[in-house]
Amino acid sequence: MRRFPDDLVQAQQEWSVTYRQLAARPGRTELRRRLHRLSTRVFFHPYWQQRRPSPSAWWELRHPEGPAADVRGRLTG
């Protein structure tokens, strides 16, 4: 598993929270703006300067607990 910089992980976590909030309350301009800012921060983070993110890298960034926890959550949640 990759080790991502803490600020990149934090930005991705904030993105996920904001996305869920926007899904619950569509049309909220401040949430859309925040989501756009966070998207830019995550996508253009200096970590990606040496390597462009692969689909698996995006998945690992969005699921830092690993695949086993994701499956458990879907089965129990």
Side-chain angles (χ1 to χ4, degrees), residues 9-52:
V9 172
Q10 178 66 32
Q12 177 60 51
Q13 290 171 344
E14 290 177 28
W15 185 96
S16 296
V17 168
T18 303
Y19 186 87
R20 285 191 297 273
Q21 290 173 343
L22 186 58
R25 298 182 293 159
R28 304 294 296 219
T29 302
E30 69 277 3
L31 291 175
R32 285 187 285 124
R33 287 180 180 155
R34 179 165 172 70
L35 191 63
H36 185 265
R37 280 193 307 273
L38 289 167
S39 295
T40 302
R41 189 181 315 162
V42 169
F43 189 77
F44 293 107
H45 190 277
Y47 176 79
W48 305 123
Q49 292 295 318
Q50 300 300 319
R51 58 201 150 306
R52 288 313 307 158

Side-chain angles (χ1 to χ4, degrees), residues 58-75:
W58 283 120
W59 193 92
E60 288 179 36
L61 179 61
R62 289 186 176 126
H63 303 92
E65 65 280 347
D70 184 51
V71 170
R72 267 194 314 276
R74 284 186 281 149
L75 293 175

